[in-house]
């Protein structure tokens, strides 16, 4: 439902000497939030936001600067004000809930610069009960057709020195552990860069903040299309944040043509942490699905030839040769080193395991030629995405998997040579369809080619979106790794099942690993924009057993029970059972939870949450009266009480509880777990004992009479 009126927002006329400054005020549907827009005396657009009586954002300027012409920053007058309300409900193709309400008040302010400029800009605000979205819109006009953005100066001036959960504003990587400090203490300098060192006070979004007066605030963006990602510069003395767009190879931020608009800048606000995670504001600000028929898009669980390479049991490469050229190399004549993971016999082993346990698919990495010198050489012709190694029989594996009713997931690592990938996309996708692949995991490890571009710049944003669109045309689902962090575009392209775009479980195989608090922060930061392929389900927590010489002292920084809980707390419609089959075969009682847990949901309840400390979520399976619960903690052991009032009243359920063992500890005794069953109803309660770095997973199934 949409209602629209011209100038129905509250308008205040402020008189200061001979200067008249108009202010427009709107309230969210239940009046939790109040937005005020106003021009300064210099004609600068500003806004401020309140939650009840509490300030969320103090008066903050809005500006876009242009290259080789005056910017959209000052000298404006208000030409027109439109306001409207909107309220409807839509159904995602897949997701955490069956229905999403899209309810907001909108304010669109058209501002105009002086006669000599004679240019118009529309500032559009949408105010929900859970936050604010706003963007810049550039209408088609005589004096603005083609233009280059040199900077965007969007401010978020915060009223106090909030607690914040942040990672450095690296233009090429999101794979950092989070720092938890006050705004005044943000400093990226001591942090070892993953790709490029960030400016000392530049951080990434989504940025999670908590105020001393009880507000939880998340700043991010929605619908990132044809524009660079937004980082934030932190003023550690005034607590103001300002946008920092990722530059392109020339130093410019964006090349645009009217009519055009920026992504939405988003501020999610609540007085409790669970409400932040329940927000669907970012999804609501994205466009509906562009895919008319979506029956081929299938959420799924999978195993894969992947973790065994991380734990040094096998390799991606086929040979120890180096300095190879993609064209002209006789791959069949290379001497194999004998540790190639993606060989036909090994892949069949994974297919057999998936078929036996009802998992839909098998990912295979390292199947294609080029892995001998793929890494860190800034080499353009790395992979061709169609030529298998001599020991990988494409036709036989297609036949074998199909006979077992299992799908294979393609892997397209690009080594960040995106020009090479774009040239070969057509052939790569045809190869997939010819051999039964309908899903692909892409990767962009390294520095981007075209050289000088960044993972999070406009050029790469357009590439990621283009790839999702081309795959949709070919009925291919995609899981992108090393991509720009998501901004809700999985609503528009529901074949875009997941991204990595953060520090995943794989880092637990590489030395320092992820601290136990990591998984309690990610839902408040990275996952605000969309699902993450975190690759949970590691059972062999201590890694030395796979390769004692190369894995000495290495381990995953959780308990086994927490790995189970992550299937519920780390939402994704694409979930990997990431460990090796033999690790699961030793603990099939615990593996039963992975077999049972769905990846698509009708309802979600955030039962308890505090970023950096703990998280408990219950979800209802799609089309079934079954519920699944995950509860995790940081390094602090704790007891988590859970009221089961989310269950259907009057129904008795068997609760199967997968919990930390009595002496479990993520570091000293991580693989200790216990399983028990109890009968419960909606009036029951559980007390879950979470070990240090631990968790619990629970399935609730109706009692069979």
């Amino acid at each position: 439902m949409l209602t629209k009126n011209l100038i129905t927002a509250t308008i205040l006329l402020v008189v200061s000497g001979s200067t008249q400054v108009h202010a427009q005020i709107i309230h969210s549907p239940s009046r939790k939030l109040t937005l005020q827009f106003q021009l300064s005396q210099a004609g600068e657009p500003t806004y401020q936001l309140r939650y009840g009586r509490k300030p969320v954002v103090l008066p903050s300027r809005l500006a876009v600067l242009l290259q080789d012409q005056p910017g959209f920053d000052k000298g404006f007058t208000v030409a027109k004000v439109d306001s409207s309300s909107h309220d409807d409900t839509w159904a995602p193709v897949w997701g955490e809930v069956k229905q999403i309400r899209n309810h907001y008040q909108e304010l669109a302010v058209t501002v105009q610069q002086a006669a000599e400029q004679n240019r118009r800009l529309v500032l559009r605000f949408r105010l929900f009960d859970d936050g604010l979205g706003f963007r810049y819109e550039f209408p088609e006009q005589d004096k603005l057709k083609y233009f280059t953005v040199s900077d965007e100066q969007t401010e978020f001036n915060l009223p106090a020195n909030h607690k914040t959960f942040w990672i450095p504003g690296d233009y090429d990587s999101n794979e950092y552990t989070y720092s938890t400090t006050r705004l005044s203490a943000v400093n990226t300098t001591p942090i070892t860069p993953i790709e490029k060192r960030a400016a000392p006070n530049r951080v990434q979004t989504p940025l999670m903040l908590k105020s001393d007066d009880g507000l939880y605030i998340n700043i991010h963006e929605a619908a990132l299309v044809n524009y660079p990602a937004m980082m934030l510069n932190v003023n550690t003395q005034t607590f103001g944040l300002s946008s920092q767009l990722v530059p392109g190879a020339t130093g410019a931020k964006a090349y645009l043509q009217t009519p055009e608009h920026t992504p939405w800048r988003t501020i999610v606000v609540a007085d409790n942490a669970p409400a932040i995670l329940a927000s669907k504001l970012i999804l609501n600000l994205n466009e509906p699905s562009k895919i008319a028929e979506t029956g081929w898009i299938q959420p799924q669980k999978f195993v894969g030839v992947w973790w065994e390479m991380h734990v040094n049991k096998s390799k991606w490469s086929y040979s120890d040769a180096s300095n190879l050229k993609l064209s002209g190399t006789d791959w069949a004549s290379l001497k194999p080193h004998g540790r190639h993971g993606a060989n036909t016999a090994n892949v069949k082993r994974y297919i057999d395991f998936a078929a036996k346990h009802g998992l839909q698919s098998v990912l295979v990495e390292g199947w294609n030629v080029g892995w001998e010198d793929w890494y860190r050489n800034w080499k353009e012709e790395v992979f061709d995405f169609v030529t298998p190694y001599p020991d990988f029989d494409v036709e036989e594996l297609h036949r074998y998997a199909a006979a077992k009713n299992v799908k294979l997931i393609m892997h397209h690592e690009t080594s960040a040579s995106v020009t090479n990938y774009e040239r070969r996309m057509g052939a790569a996708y045809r190869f997939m369809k010819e051999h039964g692949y309908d899903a692909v995991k892409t990767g962009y490890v390294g520095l981007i080619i075209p050289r000088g571009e960044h993972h999070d710049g406009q050029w790469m944003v357009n590439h990621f979106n283009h790839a999702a669109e081309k795959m949709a045309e070919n009925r291919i689902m995609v899981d992108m790794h090393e991509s720009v962090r998501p901004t809700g575009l999985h609503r528009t392209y529901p074949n875009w099942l997941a991204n990595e775009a953060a520090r995943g479980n794989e880092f637990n195989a590489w030395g320092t690993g992820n601290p136990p608090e990591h998984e309690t922060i990610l839902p408040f930061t990275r996952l605000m924009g969309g699902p993450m392929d975190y690759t949970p389900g590691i059972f062999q927590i201590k890694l030395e057993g796979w390769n004692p010489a190369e894995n000495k002292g290495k381990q995953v920084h959780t308990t086994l029970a927490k790995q189970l809980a992550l299937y519920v707390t780390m939402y994704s419609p694409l979930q990997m059972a990431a460990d090796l089959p033999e690790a699961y075969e030793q603990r099939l009682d615990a593996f039963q939870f992975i077999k049972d847990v769905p990846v698509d949901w009708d309802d979600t309840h955030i039962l308890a949450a505090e970023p950096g400390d703990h998280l408990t979520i219950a979800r209802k399976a799609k089309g079934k009266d079954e519920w699944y619960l995950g509860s995790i903690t940081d390094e602090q052991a704790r007891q988590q009480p859970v009221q089961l009032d989310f269950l259907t009243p009057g129904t008795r359920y068997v609760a199967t509880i997968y919990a930390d063992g009595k002496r479990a500890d993520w570091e000293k005794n991580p693989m200790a777990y216990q399983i028990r069953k109890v009968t419960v109803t909606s009036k029951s309660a559980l007390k879950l004992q979470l070990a240090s770095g631990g968790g619990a997973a629970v399935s609730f199934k109706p009692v069979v009479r």
Side-chain angles (χ1 to χ4, degrees), residues 33 49 56 130-132 207-209 216-220 266-270 275-282 528:
L33 285 161
L49 183 65
V56 178
D130 53 348
L132 171 68
L207 182 69
M208 186 67 208
L209 305 116
Y216 294 81
I217 304 163
N218 186 277
I219 299 175
H220 190 34
T266 62
I267 308 171
V268 178
V269 191
I276 295 291
L277 300 183
S279 172
K280 296 295 180 283
L281 180 150
I282 288 173
M528 290 296 292

Side-chain angles (χ1 to χ4, degrees), residues 95-97 571 597-603 619-622 628:
E96 298 177 89
V97 292
Y571 172 65
V597 67
V599 290
D600 197 10
W601 308 97
D602 273 346
D603 200 6
R619 304 188 194 270
K620 186 176 186 291
K622 179 75 75 177
Y628 293 81

Side-chain angles (χ1 to χ4, degrees), residues 219-237:
I219 299 175
H220 190 34
E221 58 184 321
L224 177 59
V225 176
N226 194 31
Y227 207 72
M230 179 182 71
M231 308 282 176
L232 293 171
N233 294 316
V234 180
N235 187 318
T236 56
Q237 294 173 342

Side-chain angles (χ1 to χ4, degrees), residues 173-221:
S173 180
N174 329 87
E175 297 181 344
Y176 291 86
T177 57
Y178 283 85
S179 297
T180 305
T181 69
R182 295 286 179 166
L183 285 166
S184 59
V186 169
N187 181 11
T188 70
T189 305
I191 299 172
T192 302
I194 301 293
E195 290 292 350
K196 296 281 187 70
R197 183 170 295 282
N201 305 124
R202 188 175 70 227
V203 299
Q204 296 194 37
T205 72
L207 182 69
M208 186 67 208
L209 305 116
K210 182 182 179 181
S211 71
D212 289 341
D213 60 356
L215 290 185
Y216 294 81
I217 304 163
N218 186 277
I219 299 175
H220 190 34
E221 58 184 321

Side-chain angles (χ1 to χ4, degrees), residues 416-432:
S417 179
V418 189
T419 49
N420 178 59
Y421 187 44
E422 291 204 341
R423 285 194 297 270
R424 299 177 186 272
M425 274 181 171
Y429 301 159
R430 284 192 298 274
F431 180 91
M432 286 181 61

Side-chain angles (χ1 to χ4, degrees), residues 676-689:
R676 61 188 177 94
K677 294 187 177 184
V678 295
T679 301
V680 299
T681 70
S682 62
K683 297 180 180 179
S684 303
L686 299 177
K687 290 183 179 179
L688 303 175
Q689 292 295 146

Side-chain angles (χ1 to χ4, degrees), residues 501-579:
R503 189 179 178 100
N505 216 7
E506 65 192 14
F507 276 80
N508 281 311
W510 303 345
T512 57
N514 300 331
E517 70 173 9
H518 188 60
E519 296 91 352
T520 70
I521 297 174
L522 281 171
F524 290 94
T525 51
R526 158 64 184 80
L527 272 74
M528 290 296 292
M532 179 178 178
D533 180 18
Y534 190 70
T535 63
I538 303 302
F539 278 16
Q540 186 61 44
I541 303 293
K542 301 282 188 179
L543 304 180
E544 287 187 20
W546 299 121
N547 186 326
E550 297 186 52
N551 294 340
K552 186 173 178 59
K554 294 180 181 179
Q555 72 160 91
V556 176
H557 291 185
T558 74
T559 64
L560 186 150
K562 185 175 182 178
Q563 288 289 311
L564 295 178
L566 294 176
Y567 285 93
V568 181
T569 63
M570 298 283 288
Y571 172 65
S572 177
L574 185 70
Q575 291 279 23
M576 186 178 195
D579 215 332

Side-chain angles (χ1 to χ4, degrees), residues 2 24 29 37 95 108 115 166 217 236 297 311 333 381 406 422 449 470 492 555 574 585 611 644 686:
L2 177 67
Q24 287 82 32
F37 172 84
W166 58 272
I217 304 163
T236 56
I297 300 172
V311 297
S333 69
E381 297 288 318
V406 171
E422 291 204 341
I449 299 175
K470 295 301 292 183
T492 309
Q555 72 160 91
L574 185 70
E585 287 164 348
L644 302 184
L686 299 177

